[in-house]
Amino acid sequence: MKKRIFYAVVAILIVLWIGYSLWLRQGRSLSREELIPTAEALIQNPLPLPSFLGINPHAGVNFDQLCLSLEGKGLLKEGEKFTDFRQSIAFNTFLYINNRPLNPVEISYPLGGFNIMDPGPENGTVYLCYNLDLEKGIHIAEVTTKNTSGTELYYKWAFSVQ
């Protein structure tokens, strides 16, 4: 009887793990055959970079670390203060490389951003840096975040590693 309960619990845990893994991917899985033509099209015709996002280094450059900068001005409603929402912005931002989620290795919130252009309560930048260990070839990156209104914002680009 105890063995049956044990196996039932193990089976439930396996099903939950598989469900969690599928939930993490959120339907973003592409086969290798689908990935390459999409990436090549994005390299030839990159999407315009949205005003809320900065990428360093820029798309199409070979690198082993990627940093995103999320601009408070592009993510906050008028009258909201960056300091009230900076952690929310960081925790609602996700980076996927080849449909696999990455975790940031560094998060910083300098007030006004590093350029400190226009002082004001809505100004600020969330910086998220990720270490990359990619094989040679073509890759697709995708970032999703939410503004303080709850609208999901999205950007996708491709790059190659030589």
Side-chain angles (χ1 to χ4, degrees):
M1 181 67 174
K2 287 184 180 182
K3 278 188 174 182
R4 286 185 183 173
I5 292 172
F6 173 78
Y7 288 122
V9 169
V10 169
I12 290 170
L13 290 174
I14 290 171
V15 168
L16 289 174
W17 176 254
I18 291 169
Y20 178 71
S21 298
L22 292 172
W23 175 78
L24 273 179
R25 290 191 305 176
Q26 297 179 2
R28 288 179 164 71
S29 182
L30 290 176
S31 70
R32 183 84 176 138
E33 293 77 28
E34 293 171 312
L35 180 68
I36 292 173
T38 302
E40 288 173 348
L42 283 170
I43 285 176
Q44 292 174 5
N45 300 302
L47 300 172
L49 190 64
S51 62
F52 70 87
L53 180 65
I55 302 168
N56 187 19
H58 299 290
V61 177
N62 297 332
F63 47 86
D64 58 6
Q65 187 177 61
L66 173 78
C67 293
L68 303 175
S69 57
L70 297 136
E71 302 299 327
K73 265 188 166 176
L75 297 171
L76 301 177
K77 292 185 274 189
E78 190 173 327
E80 293 179 329
K81 294 181 181 177
F82 174 73
T83 53
D84 295 339
F85 293 97
R86 63 189 184 183
Q87 289 181 336
S88 173
I89 292 168
F91 291 119
N92 282 305
T93 301
F94 302 96
L95 175 66
Y96 301 87
I97 302 288
N98 301 329
N99 306 314
R100 292 186 180 95
L102 296 176
N103 293 317
V105 293
E106 181 182 343
I107 301 174
S108 59
Y109 313 101
L111 291 176
F114 284 122
N115 297 329
I116 309 181
M117 293 164 54
D118 298 319
E122 75 283 355
N123 286 347
T125 304
V126 174
Y127 290 90
L128 302 167
C129 293
Y130 304 82
N131 287 334
L132 304 177
D133 183 20
L134 300 171
E135 296 177 9
K136 290 181 180 182
I138 197 164
H139 303 277
I140 292 181
E142 173 186 343
V143 64
T144 62
T145 192
K146 290 183 182 177
N147 63 18
T148 57
S149 298
T151 303
E152 188 168 312
L153 305 170
Y154 164 88
Y155 184 67
K156 186 182 242 182
W157 72 100
F159 59 94
S160 64
V161 173
Q162 314 246 332

mmCIF file of all heavy atoms in Angstrom, residues 72 75-92 109-111 120-126 147-148:
data_model
loop_
_atom_site.group_PDB
_atom_site.id
_atom_site.type_symbol
_atom_site.label_atom_id
_atom_site.label_comp_id
_atom_site.label_asym_id
_atom_site.label_seq_id
_atom_site.Cartn_x
_atom_site.Cartn_y
_atom_site.Cartn_z
ATOM 1 N N GLY A 72 12.189 53.953 -17.877
ATOM 2 C CA GLY A 72 10.995 54.267 -17.102
ATOM 3 C C GLY A 72 10.000 55.117 -17.856
ATOM 4 O O GLY A 72 8.795 54.897 -17.782
ATOM 5 N N LEU A 75 7.589 53.124 -19.864
ATOM 6 C CA LEU A 75 6.840 52.062 -19.190
ATOM 7 C C LEU A 75 5.872 52.569 -18.118
ATOM 8 O O LEU A 75 5.002 51.830 -17.679
ATOM 9 C CB LEU A 75 7.813 51.064 -18.552
ATOM 10 C CG LEU A 75 8.709 50.324 -19.540
ATOM 11 C CD1 LEU A 75 9.779 49.544 -18.802
ATOM 12 C CD2 LEU A 75 7.892 49.402 -20.418
ATOM 13 N N LEU A 76 6.040 53.806 -17.697
ATOM 14 C CA LEU A 76 5.202 54.348 -16.628
ATOM 15 C C LEU A 76 4.094 55.226 -17.182
ATOM 16 O O LEU A 76 4.256 55.885 -18.208
ATOM 17 C CB LEU A 76 6.050 55.190 -15.667
ATOM 18 C CG LEU A 76 7.215 54.492 -14.980
ATOM 19 C CD1 LEU A 76 7.988 55.488 -14.135
ATOM 20 C CD2 LEU A 76 6.744 53.342 -14.137
ATOM 21 N N LYS A 77 2.968 55.250 -16.460
ATOM 22 C CA LYS A 77 1.905 56.197 -16.787
ATOM 23 C C LYS A 77 2.325 57.570 -16.274
ATOM 24 O O LYS A 77 3.132 57.683 -15.346
ATOM 25 C CB LYS A 77 0.589 55.777 -16.124
ATOM 26 C CG LYS A 77 -0.006 54.508 -16.692
ATOM 27 C CD LYS A 77 -1.366 54.221 -16.085
ATOM 28 C CE LYS A 77 -1.189 53.455 -14.802
ATOM 29 N NZ LYS A 77 -2.414 52.939 -14.225
ATOM 30 N N GLU A 78 1.770 58.600 -16.861
ATOM 31 C CA GLU A 78 2.098 59.958 -16.442
ATOM 32 C C GLU A 78 1.806 60.131 -14.957
ATOM 33 O O GLU A 78 0.763 59.717 -14.459
ATOM 34 C CB GLU A 78 1.285 60.965 -17.262
ATOM 35 C CG GLU A 78 1.740 62.393 -17.057
ATOM 36 C CD GLU A 78 1.059 63.360 -17.996
ATOM 37 O OE1 GLU A 78 0.753 62.969 -19.136
ATOM 38 O OE2 GLU A 78 0.836 64.500 -17.573
ATOM 39 N N GLY A 79 2.750 60.723 -14.246
ATOM 40 C CA GLY A 79 2.582 60.971 -12.818
ATOM 41 C C GLY A 79 3.141 59.873 -11.923
ATOM 42 O O GLY A 79 3.256 60.061 -10.720
ATOM 43 N N GLU A 80 3.474 58.718 -12.480
ATOM 44 C CA GLU A 80 4.040 57.642 -11.672
ATOM 45 C C GLU A 80 5.534 57.873 -11.469
ATOM 46 O O GLU A 80 6.206 58.436 -12.326
ATOM 47 C CB GLU A 80 3.812 56.286 -12.333
ATOM 48 C CG GLU A 80 2.364 55.888 -12.380
ATOM 49 C CD GLU A 80 2.131 54.556 -13.057
ATOM 50 O OE1 GLU A 80 2.902 54.197 -13.971
ATOM 51 O OE2 GLU A 80 1.167 53.883 -12.684
ATOM 52 N N LYS A 81 6.037 57.417 -10.333
ATOM 53 C CA LYS A 81 7.449 57.593 -10.011
ATOM 54 C C LYS A 81 8.216 56.310 -10.298
ATOM 55 O O LYS A 81 7.793 55.222 -9.917
ATOM 56 C CB LYS A 81 7.611 57.954 -8.534
ATOM 57 C CG LYS A 81 7.029 59.303 -8.191
ATOM 58 C CD LYS A 81 7.242 59.610 -6.727
ATOM 59 C CE LYS A 81 6.642 60.954 -6.402
ATOM 60 N NZ LYS A 81 6.764 61.253 -4.977
ATOM 61 N N PHE A 82 9.356 56.476 -10.935
ATOM 62 C CA PHE A 82 10.207 55.341 -11.287
ATOM 63 C C PHE A 82 10.569 54.514 -10.054
ATOM 64 O O PHE A 82 10.535 53.294 -10.088
ATOM 65 C CB PHE A 82 11.469 55.840 -11.993
ATOM 66 C CG PHE A 82 12.475 54.765 -12.261
ATOM 67 C CD1 PHE A 82 12.251 53.822 -13.246
ATOM 68 C CD2 PHE A 82 13.643 54.685 -11.521
ATOM 69 C CE1 PHE A 82 13.177 52.812 -13.497
ATOM 70 C CE2 PHE A 82 14.573 53.689 -11.766
ATOM 71 C CZ PHE A 82 14.333 52.759 -12.755
ATOM 72 N N THR A 83 10.895 55.172 -8.948
ATOM 73 C CA THR A 83 11.328 54.451 -7.752
ATOM 74 C C THR A 83 10.231 53.542 -7.205
ATOM 75 O O THR A 83 10.523 52.548 -6.554
ATOM 76 C CB THR A 83 11.787 55.421 -6.651
ATOM 77 O OG1 THR A 83 10.747 56.378 -6.418
ATOM 78 C CG2 THR A 83 13.068 56.126 -7.058
ATOM 79 N N ASP A 84 8.963 53.863 -7.477
ATOM 80 C CA ASP A 84 7.853 53.032 -7.008
ATOM 81 C C ASP A 84 7.664 51.772 -7.849
ATOM 82 O O ASP A 84 7.041 50.817 -7.390
ATOM 83 C CB ASP A 84 6.533 53.817 -7.011
ATOM 84 C CG ASP A 84 6.547 54.975 -6.023
ATOM 85 O OD1 ASP A 84 7.361 54.958 -5.083
ATOM 86 O OD2 ASP A 84 5.738 55.915 -6.208
ATOM 87 N N PHE A 85 8.168 51.770 -9.090
ATOM 88 C CA PHE A 85 7.869 50.687 -10.015
ATOM 89 C C PHE A 85 9.089 49.970 -10.566
ATOM 90 O O PHE A 85 8.956 49.029 -11.325
ATOM 91 C CB PHE A 85 7.027 51.211 -11.188
ATOM 92 C CG PHE A 85 5.665 51.648 -10.771
ATOM 93 C CD1 PHE A 85 5.399 52.974 -10.524
ATOM 94 C CD2 PHE A 85 4.643 50.719 -10.607
ATOM 95 C CE1 PHE A 85 4.134 53.377 -10.112
ATOM 96 C CE2 PHE A 85 3.384 51.114 -10.203
ATOM 97 C CZ PHE A 85 3.131 52.447 -9.944
ATOM 98 N N ARG A 86 10.295 50.384 -10.197
ATOM 99 C CA ARG A 86 11.493 49.810 -10.814
ATOM 100 C C ARG A 86 11.621 48.311 -10.577
ATOM 101 O O ARG A 86 12.004 47.576 -11.475
ATOM 102 C CB ARG A 86 12.740 50.553 -10.372
ATOM 103 C CG ARG A 86 13.017 50.461 -8.894
ATOM 104 C CD ARG A 86 14.137 51.383 -8.496
ATOM 105 N NE ARG A 86 14.422 51.197 -7.080
ATOM 106 C CZ ARG A 86 15.319 51.902 -6.444
ATOM 107 N NH1 ARG A 86 16.028 52.811 -7.089
ATOM 108 N NH2 ARG A 86 15.535 51.685 -5.172
ATOM 109 N N GLN A 87 11.301 47.832 -9.382
ATOM 110 C CA GLN A 87 11.398 46.392 -9.140
ATOM 111 C C GLN A 87 10.320 45.638 -9.905
ATOM 112 O O GLN A 87 10.561 44.550 -10.417
ATOM 113 C CB GLN A 87 11.318 46.097 -7.647
ATOM 114 C CG GLN A 87 12.569 46.529 -6.920
ATOM 115 C CD GLN A 87 12.528 46.225 -5.442
ATOM 116 O OE1 GLN A 87 11.460 46.105 -4.859
ATOM 117 N NE2 GLN A 87 13.691 46.108 -4.837
ATOM 118 N N SER A 88 9.141 46.220 -10.016
ATOM 119 C CA SER A 88 8.060 45.594 -10.780
ATOM 120 C C SER A 88 8.462 45.455 -12.242
ATOM 121 O O SER A 88 8.202 44.429 -12.877
ATOM 122 C CB SER A 88 6.791 46.436 -10.649
ATOM 123 O OG SER A 88 5.792 45.958 -11.498
ATOM 124 N N ILE A 89 9.100 46.468 -12.784
ATOM 125 C CA ILE A 89 9.560 46.412 -14.175
ATOM 126 C C ILE A 89 10.553 45.267 -14.340
ATOM 127 O O ILE A 89 10.459 44.461 -15.258
ATOM 128 C CB ILE A 89 10.181 47.758 -14.605
ATOM 129 C CG1 ILE A 89 9.106 48.850 -14.670
ATOM 130 C CG2 ILE A 89 10.897 47.616 -15.954
ATOM 131 C CD1 ILE A 89 9.661 50.260 -14.807
ATOM 132 N N ALA A 90 11.517 45.156 -13.416
ATOM 133 C CA ALA A 90 12.539 44.102 -13.508
ATOM 134 C C ALA A 90 11.914 42.717 -13.421
ATOM 135 O O ALA A 90 12.267 41.823 -14.189
ATOM 136 C CB ALA A 90 13.581 44.282 -12.411
ATOM 137 N N PHE A 91 10.969 42.522 -12.505
ATOM 138 C CA PHE A 91 10.390 41.194 -12.314
ATOM 139 C C PHE A 91 9.369 40.821 -13.377
ATOM 140 O O PHE A 91 9.022 39.655 -13.503
ATOM 141 C CB PHE A 91 9.793 41.063 -10.916
ATOM 142 C CG PHE A 91 10.845 41.046 -9.843
ATOM 143 C CD1 PHE A 91 10.876 42.022 -8.876
ATOM 144 C CD2 PHE A 91 11.832 40.075 -9.822
ATOM 145 C CE1 PHE A 91 11.856 42.021 -7.888
ATOM 146 C CE2 PHE A 91 12.817 40.059 -8.850
ATOM 147 C CZ PHE A 91 12.822 41.042 -7.876
ATOM 148 N N ASN A 92 8.915 41.786 -14.160
ATOM 149 C CA ASN A 92 7.972 41.495 -15.247
ATOM 150 C C ASN A 92 8.659 41.437 -16.605
ATOM 151 O O ASN A 92 7.996 41.432 -17.641
ATOM 152 C CB ASN A 92 6.851 42.533 -15.284
ATOM 153 C CG ASN A 92 5.821 42.282 -14.221
ATOM 154 O OD1 ASN A 92 5.265 41.193 -14.152
ATOM 155 N ND2 ASN A 92 5.592 43.269 -13.369
ATOM 156 N N TYR A 109 19.350 49.752 -10.861
ATOM 157 C CA TYR A 109 18.298 50.760 -11.032
ATOM 158 C C TYR A 109 18.841 52.173 -10.833
ATOM 159 O O TYR A 109 18.412 52.871 -9.924
ATOM 160 C CB TYR A 109 17.185 50.566 -10.005
ATOM 161 C CG TYR A 109 16.674 49.173 -9.808
ATOM 162 C CD1 TYR A 109 17.078 48.407 -8.715
ATOM 163 C CD2 TYR A 109 15.758 48.625 -10.682
ATOM 164 C CE1 TYR A 109 16.579 47.134 -8.509
ATOM 165 C CE2 TYR A 109 15.261 47.353 -10.483
ATOM 166 C CZ TYR A 109 15.675 46.617 -9.395
ATOM 167 O OH TYR A 109 15.177 45.365 -9.193
ATOM 168 N N PRO A 110 19.772 52.644 -11.641
ATOM 169 C CA PRO A 110 20.275 54.007 -11.408
ATOM 170 C C PRO A 110 19.174 55.036 -11.680
ATOM 171 O O PRO A 110 18.483 54.972 -12.688
ATOM 172 C CB PRO A 110 21.426 54.143 -12.401
ATOM 173 C CG PRO A 110 21.142 53.119 -13.447
ATOM 174 C CD PRO A 110 20.373 52.013 -12.787
ATOM 175 N N LEU A 111 18.976 55.957 -10.755
ATOM 176 C CA LEU A 111 17.967 57.005 -10.952
ATOM 177 C C LEU A 111 18.372 57.890 -12.109
ATOM 178 O O LEU A 111 19.509 58.338 -12.195
ATOM 179 C CB LEU A 111 17.802 57.837 -9.683
ATOM 180 C CG LEU A 111 17.153 57.101 -8.521
ATOM 181 C CD1 LEU A 111 17.126 57.987 -7.292
ATOM 182 C CD2 LEU A 111 15.749 56.665 -8.891
ATOM 183 N N GLY A 120 13.674 63.969 -13.350
ATOM 184 C CA GLY A 120 12.240 63.893 -13.129
ATOM 185 C C GLY A 120 11.897 62.578 -12.472
ATOM 186 O O GLY A 120 12.645 61.616 -12.589
ATOM 187 N N PRO A 121 10.759 62.512 -11.781
ATOM 188 C CA PRO A 121 10.423 61.307 -11.028
ATOM 189 C C PRO A 121 10.147 60.094 -11.905
ATOM 190 O O PRO A 121 10.280 58.964 -11.460
ATOM 191 C CB PRO A 121 9.166 61.715 -10.247
ATOM 192 C CG PRO A 121 8.587 62.851 -11.016
ATOM 193 C CD PRO A 121 9.747 63.548 -11.669
ATOM 194 N N GLU A 122 9.764 60.300 -13.178
ATOM 195 C CA GLU A 122 9.476 59.168 -14.049
ATOM 196 C C GLU A 122 10.733 58.643 -14.731
ATOM 197 O O GLU A 122 10.721 57.592 -15.346
ATOM 198 C CB GLU A 122 8.429 59.541 -15.109
ATOM 199 C CG GLU A 122 8.952 60.409 -16.244
ATOM 200 C CD GLU A 122 9.131 61.887 -15.887
ATOM 201 O OE1 GLU A 122 8.787 62.318 -14.791
ATOM 202 O OE2 GLU A 122 9.632 62.626 -16.749
ATOM 203 N N ASN A 123 11.821 59.379 -14.643
ATOM 204 C CA ASN A 123 13.052 58.968 -15.306
ATOM 205 C C ASN A 123 13.803 57.954 -14.471
ATOM 206 O O ASN A 123 13.859 58.035 -13.254
ATOM 207 C CB ASN A 123 13.952 60.164 -15.579
ATOM 208 C CG ASN A 123 13.426 61.005 -16.710
ATOM 209 O OD1 ASN A 123 12.550 60.587 -17.432
ATOM 210 N ND2 ASN A 123 13.949 62.206 -16.844
ATOM 211 N N GLY A 124 14.365 57.024 -15.149
ATOM 212 C CA GLY A 124 15.158 55.980 -14.529
ATOM 213 C C GLY A 124 15.238 54.829 -15.505
ATOM 214 O O GLY A 124 14.455 54.743 -16.452
ATOM 215 N N THR A 125 16.198 53.981 -15.276
ATOM 216 C CA THR A 125 16.413 52.859 -16.175
ATOM 217 C C THR A 125 16.660 51.604 -15.357
ATOM 218 O O THR A 125 17.420 51.637 -14.400
ATOM 219 C CB THR A 125 17.616 53.132 -17.095
ATOM 220 O OG1 THR A 125 17.396 54.361 -17.781
ATOM 221 C CG2 THR A 125 17.795 52.022 -18.105
ATOM 222 N N VAL A 126 15.996 50.535 -15.740
ATOM 223 C CA VAL A 126 16.263 49.224 -15.156
ATOM 224 C C VAL A 126 17.249 48.529 -16.095
ATOM 225 O O VAL A 126 16.981 48.415 -17.286
ATOM 226 C CB VAL A 126 14.973 48.389 -15.029
ATOM 227 C CG1 VAL A 126 15.295 46.979 -14.556
ATOM 228 C CG2 VAL A 126 13.981 49.064 -14.093
ATOM 229 N N ASN A 147 4.133 47.247 -19.087
ATOM 230 C CA ASN A 147 4.147 48.596 -18.546
ATOM 231 C C ASN A 147 3.250 48.620 -17.312
ATOM 232 O O ASN A 147 2.620 47.621 -16.967
ATOM 233 C CB ASN A 147 3.740 49.628 -19.602
ATOM 234 C CG ASN A 147 2.324 49.447 -20.109
ATOM 235 O OD1 ASN A 147 1.485 48.786 -19.489
ATOM 236 N ND2 ASN A 147 2.036 50.041 -21.254
ATOM 237 N N THR A 148 3.180 49.749 -16.630
ATOM 238 C CA THR A 148 2.418 49.799 -15.381
ATOM 239 C C THR A 148 0.909 49.746 -15.612
ATOM 240 O O THR A 148 0.159 49.563 -14.660
ATOM 241 C CB THR A 148 2.786 51.046 -14.561
ATOM 242 O OG1 THR A 148 2.565 52.219 -15.355
ATOM 243 C CG2 THR A 148 4.235 50.984 -14.106
#
